[in-house]
Amino acid sequence: MKSEITISELARLMNVSVHQIRYFEEKGVLEPAYTSDNQYRMYGMDEIYRLSHILLLRKLGVPVGLLKECMDNYSADQSRHLLQHFLHDVEDELKRLEQLRQFIRKVLHEQQSYSSLSSPYAIKQRDAVHLARLVEMDPSANLGARQIVERARRVPHLFESDIHYVWDDSNRLTLYTETEAPGDLVMPEGEYLTLQRPADQDDEMDQMIEQFSNCAADQGYIIQGPMVLIEKSYLSLFSKHKLHYELQALISPTDRTCKEVRR
DNA sequence: TTTCTCACA
DNA sequence: TGTGAGCA
């Protein structure tokens, strides 16, 4: 019995397709040990080791066109450099996946805490939040795609962020995203009255702001500083065709007995 | 079962 | 950079 194996046996052994082995042959990186009388390719131990080497290099991202050069001519230094480069790529990918994992956890957490609310209104104790300015709006202008493209500072993953809409005393609107301290604006630590719900951008929004102001007045809260509208667009995954908004305002600590506001 | 070739993603 | 199909 011959010790060499056929292409399908080699493919099974190395967990690749027959096609792929023939493709490596076409590219000049893996020749069979010999071709039998019936034109079948036959492979021995040398070819098995060579294929395992090829597959390892492919896993490291080496293009098929470079395999031959890499296996036959690379110095130890060149091989080490190749592995270091690949390690760097893997670390970048791990970083990307870690950020993705944290984002998914945040979305699930936000959705869970929103759906467990017994009332859209709540009082929250918040730590200071530092905000970075994104776009300043003219009072008359509407926020459109063009405006975001032209005027917003580039923010990676903008629509995965909590976008803060802040109106100043002259009713000028500025958009912010959360950032590390110091940032351009600070929402101080303290107790915030909050109203959360999905809404359409215009009509329902005005209504929401009005309701919020009325609620604060009814409950005797004194609003300190600007009212902030936080857009969590990623939560619209759970409320189709509506964006999720949370209105927040720092309240003065006149009434600490009322921890939940119902309407 | 394998080879080869061509089309396709 | 492979894969799928058809043919001998």
Side-chain angles (χ1 to χ4, degrees):
Chain A
M1 189 176 176
K2 283 176 182 163
S3 66
E4 284 79 17
I5 56 177
T6 64
I7 196 167
S8 58
E9 288 171 316
L10 179 62
R12 235 186 339 266
L13 177 69
M14 305 303 285
N15 213 17
V16 294
S17 68
V18 166
H19 245 87
Q20 202 177 351
I21 296 173
R22 277 203 293 261
Y23 180 71
F24 291 142
E25 183 182 332
E26 186 191 321
K27 295 294 166 186
V29 286
L30 181 70
E31 297 290 327
Y34 64 92
T35 307
S36 65
D37 293 343
N38 60 4
Q39 296 302 303
Y40 284 14
R41 295 165 173 84
M42 303 302 290
Y43 301 87
M45 286 308 294
D46 286 352
E47 289 70 40
I48 291 174
Y49 281 116
R50 188 163 175 90
L51 179 56
S52 71
H53 197 165
I54 289 170
L55 295 174
L56 174 62
L57 290 170
R58 285 295 300 125
K59 206 186 273 185
L60 297 185
V62 177
V64 174
L66 260 184
L67 286 173
K68 199 172 162 56
E69 163 75 8
C70 200
M71 287 192 298
D72 299 343
N73 300 325
Y74 263 28
S75 65
D77 256 6
Q78 282 175 301
S79 297
R80 190 165 45 245
H81 185 258
L82 187 72
L83 283 169
Q84 279 167 344
H85 185 82
F86 188 65
L87 180 63
H88 192 252
D89 288 350
V90 168
E91 282 165 351
D92 281 353
E93 183 62 5
L94 283 172
K95 220 178 284 172
R96 189 189 69 79
L97 289 172
E98 179 55 32
Q99 283 172 354
L100 183 60
R101 176 160 78 168
Q102 285 187 13
F103 175 66
I104 294 169
R105 281 185 171 155
K106 171 182 152 179
V107 173
L108 288 172
H109 173 78
E110 295 266 359
Q111 201 276 332
Q112 174 68 38
S113 58
Y114 171 65
S115 62
S116 64
L117 283 177
S118 54
S119 156
Y121 291 91
I123 305 280
K124 286 185 186 172
Q125 178 67 40
R126 286 195 57 164
D127 293 334
V129 176
H130 298 266
L131 300 173
R133 190 179 298 111
L134 186 65
V135 188
E136 275 183 49
M137 303 283 297
D138 296 325
S140 57
N142 287 321
L143 180 64
R146 173 70 46 204
Q147 200 141 13
I148 289 189
V149 167
E150 286 175 357
R151 302 184 53 188
R153 286 188 310 115
R154 193 183 170 282
V155 177
H157 316 300
L158 175 60
F159 292 96
E160 294 171 16
S161 315
D162 291 351
I163 301 175
H164 292 58
Y165 295 69
V166 183
W167 287 268
D168 65 15
D169 295 339
S170 52
N171 209 29
R172 193 180 176 83
L173 171 63
T174 308
L175 273 57
Y176 297 87
T177 50
E178 287 185 22
T179 188
E180 301 295 317
D184 303 309
L185 182 74
V186 184
M187 288 174 68
E189 177 190 351
E191 276 190 331
Y192 283 77
L193 175 63
T194 71
L195 165 59
Q196 276 196 80
R197 64 165 216 213
D200 288 330
Q201 220 156 359
D202 297 327
D203 291 350
E204 285 188 58
M205 194 67 67
D206 292 341
Q207 201 184 44
M208 191 173 161
I209 291 169
E210 194 184 330
Q211 280 176 359
F212 183 81
S213 304
N214 292 342
C215 171
D218 289 353
Q219 298 294 324
Y221 293 123
I222 299 165
I223 290 177
Q224 310 279 311
M227 194 183 291
V228 178
L229 179 71
I230 303 172
E231 180 186 297
K232 300 175 180 181
S233 61
Y234 49 85
L235 282 184
S236 62
L237 278 173
F238 305 96
S239 51
K240 303 282 175 280
H241 312 304
K242 292 199 171 191
L243 289 174
H244 186 102
Y245 292 97
E246 178 170 353
L247 265 170
Q248 291 192 352
L250 181 65
I251 51 175
S252 60
T254 51
D255 182 1
R256 288 187 174 277
T257 58
C258 181
K259 290 290 173 197
E260 189 178 357
V261 187
R262 293 180 187 280
R263 281 178 73 87

